[in-house]
Amino acid sequence: MNQLTSYTNINDPLNQRILNNLEAGRPGGLKVDLYLGDQPTLDLTTNNLTLLSSQQYPYTALGTIGIRKLLDPPESSLVSQIVNRHAVLPSNSSADQLVLLDMQGQTEISQALRRDARHTQGSAHSHLLFDSTNQHVQWIRMHREQMLRAFEDIRQQGIVRRQAKEAWGHYDAVSRLDATTKEAVNTWLRGEDHSLGWDRFKRNDVKSGNRLSTHYTNLGGDLNTPQSITSARGEYAASKLLITVCGTDYQMKMGKSANGMRPNGIDQIWVKRDMRTGNVIEYLIVEAKGSVNATLGHPTNGQQMSPKWLFWCLINMANKNASYIGPETKTDLPVKILNALINPGGIPVRGIVFHSLHGSVNESKVVQMNDIGLYQFASAFENASKGGGLFTNAPTQQYIAFK
């Protein structure tokens, strides 16, 4: 397994050589437009916040989302709204998302984020078998081996032994339940036991919902300038789209920090987690832009979302640099991502940019998603380990790809 000689020192010689092997320029990617403008919205003003101040949720409608892939023929399709699995109240589980995406007013956005934080927590994800409240299903879950031995008795001897009668009593009760639950129990008994994997997935999904609530709270607490409002809009859209459009298995690992902390670096980090095993199967590096005029920055350590910039950010996170990581995020997260990046066949690390086109004349309610694709650092690590560097002698290496 490839390992860095230092995960915390950006000036470590190996890390410097890796930086010289990584591209610093503008990333490409596949762009997809999400059209959010055909749905009804609230006519809210600073003096008309009745609906926002009430318990009515979600305040504005999104409904279906129109999608156009820019590389495909200009044919639009509709994607149905995915249930919000982090809604506190079951009645809000199908609530439309992306509240006040088209708003600029500080008060409206602050109110929306405050209410959304209050209505977001935990996870409503449930498993037909593993989360069942039926006493007979619960007994079989807790006594799987005993149930399997009862099956084996029948197969070998054709009778139910005395010590197996309890198991058969529970199984008989389950057999009288609905066909879907019965089939779920039988499939689980005949196959692998993924209950521990599901428990791991659910435990992390609860953490993700709680992080989202904190994320919304922190976004609403930093709206003192037009720039901070623009930033909040972009980060809000990114997090909402990830739990709706992008699927039901992405979980937030890092969101907005409180009180303006962590001003630099990665906006959000998410993981895609296997619901059966509970294992992380993809890391997602997210950059959010909140207006049509916002662009990827290009500091001296590489343009935002470039491979060089990502490596720089992760090392500074592991080093507990307060400009890149908040106290709520553990430093083992960047270390895990770094190991995934420098090892062939490691967990995929994907980059994605969510760009709200707010402020444009015709597409103010459009969010553009740019899937940058997978980052690959294994070859950079191998070249650096041999003492080489692709861009060591480049005259303008930081800007060579976009000047």
Side-chain angles (χ1 to χ4, degrees), residues 235-348:
E235 290 220 40
Y236 186 53
S239 56
K240 279 305 187 70
L241 287 169
L242 273 164
I243 62 170
T244 55
V245 174
C246 295
T248 59
D249 45 8
Y250 280 106
Q251 299 173 341
M252 174 175 270
K253 297 292 287 185
M254 185 180 79
K256 175 74 172 178
S257 294
N259 303 320
M261 297 180 65
R262 196 171 59 79
N264 299 321
I266 301 167
D267 283 344
Q268 300 174 25
I269 298 178
W270 294 66
V271 296
K272 187 175 186 179
R273 196 177 295 274
D274 190 311
M275 289 186 176
R276 295 193 313 160
T277 65
N279 295 332
V280 172
I281 56 177
E282 184 179 75
Y283 290 105
L284 197 65
I285 308 299
V286 175
E287 176 65 25
K289 299 298 181 184
S291 75
V292 67
N293 295 320
T295 59
L296 294 175
H298 41 81
T300 57
N301 54 320
Q303 189 169 28
Q304 282 183 307
M305 299 301 282
S306 69
K308 184 173 184 177
W309 174 87
L310 176 58
F311 185 79
W312 177 279
C313 290
L314 291 171
I315 293 292
N316 276 282
M317 288 177 65
N319 191 34
K320 298 183 180 180
N321 185 327
S323 292
Y324 292 85
I325 190 170
E328 72 280 359
T329 303
K330 296 180 180 179
T331 55
D332 64 345
L333 176 62
V335 171
K336 289 177 181 178
I337 298 175
L338 284 165
N339 283 332
L341 287 166
I342 65 176
N343 281 280
I347 297 174

Side-chain angles (χ1 to χ4, degrees), residues 59-335:
Y59 324 119
T60 64
L62 173 60
T64 54
I65 302 172
I67 292 183
R68 183 185 71 195
K69 291 186 177 180
L70 300 185
L71 300 183
D72 291 347
E75 297 178 1
S76 296
S77 60
L78 292 179
V79 175
S80 297
Q81 180 69 39
I82 296 174
V83 170
N84 177 14
R85 69 184 186 274
H86 299 299
V88 172
L89 302 176
S91 60
N92 293 332
S93 64
S94 60
D96 298 331
Q97 307 300 312
L98 292 169
V99 181
L100 302 181
L101 179 66
D102 58 323
M103 282 288 184
Q104 180 64 27
Q106 176 181 352
T107 304
E108 290 89 343
I109 293 178
S110 177
Q111 288 273 11
L113 287 167
R114 187 179 301 118
R115 296 305 186 275
D116 215 349
R118 190 172 66 188
H119 285 282
T120 301
Q121 188 178 12
S123 172
H125 255 321
S126 63
H127 193 286
L128 183 64
L129 173 60
F130 303 139
D131 292 333
S132 173
T133 58
N134 180 276
Q135 61 174 329
H136 303 292
V137 174
Q138 288 182 335
W139 189 95
I140 292 176
R141 251 209 76 184
M142 300 301 296
H143 302 85
R144 186 172 188 262
E145 293 302 321
Q146 190 172 338
M147 192 72 249
L148 291 175
R149 286 196 297 270
F151 277 122
E152 187 64 16
D153 286 344
I154 289 291
R155 189 185 69 83
Q156 291 186 357
Q157 304 176 27
I159 61 172
V160 178
R161 294 186 300 163
R162 180 183 304 171
Q163 55 265 45
K165 285 187 177 181
E166 182 181 11
W168 279 110
H170 290 289
Y171 185 76
D172 183 62
V174 167
S175 299
R176 293 194 295 270
L177 298 175
D178 61 278
T180 304
T181 302
K182 177 182 176 182
E183 179 60 25
V185 171
N186 284 328
T187 300
W188 173 65
L189 287 171
R190 292 193 300 264
E192 289 186 70
D193 182 8
H194 293 296
S195 56
L196 293 179
W198 169 258
D199 288 344
R200 185 181 179 193
F201 176 90
K202 182 65 176 286
R203 184 170 62 253
N204 282 280
D205 208 52
V206 170
K207 292 179 181 178
S208 176
N210 296 342
R211 289 189 186 107
L212 277 167
S213 180
T214 301
H215 173 68
Y216 301 145
T217 297
N218 292 341
L219 287 176
D222 184 22
L223 298 173
N224 299 319
T225 65
Q227 182 179 0
S228 64
I229 290 174
T230 296
S231 175
R233 182 189 297 108
E235 290 220 40
Y236 186 53
S239 56
K240 279 305 187 70
L241 287 169
L242 273 164
I243 62 170
T244 55
V245 174
C246 295
T248 59
D249 45 8
Y250 280 106
Q251 299 173 341
M252 174 175 270
K253 297 292 287 185
M254 185 180 79
K256 175 74 172 178
S257 294
N259 303 320
M261 297 180 65
R262 196 171 59 79
N264 299 321
I266 301 167
D267 283 344
Q268 300 174 25
I269 298 178
W270 294 66
V271 296
K272 187 175 186 179
R273 196 177 295 274
D274 190 311
M275 289 186 176
R276 295 193 313 160
T277 65
N279 295 332
V280 172
I281 56 177
E282 184 179 75
Y283 290 105
L284 197 65
I285 308 299
V286 175
E287 176 65 25
K289 299 298 181 184
S291 75
V292 67
N293 295 320
T295 59
L296 294 175
H298 41 81
T300 57
N301 54 320
Q303 189 169 28
Q304 282 183 307
M305 299 301 282
S306 69
K308 184 173 184 177
W309 174 87
L310 176 58
F311 185 79
W312 177 279
C313 290
L314 291 171
I315 293 292
N316 276 282
M317 288 177 65
N319 191 34
K320 298 183 180 180
N321 185 327
S323 292
Y324 292 85
I325 190 170
E328 72 280 359
T329 303
K330 296 180 180 179
T331 55
D332 64 345
L333 176 62
V335 171

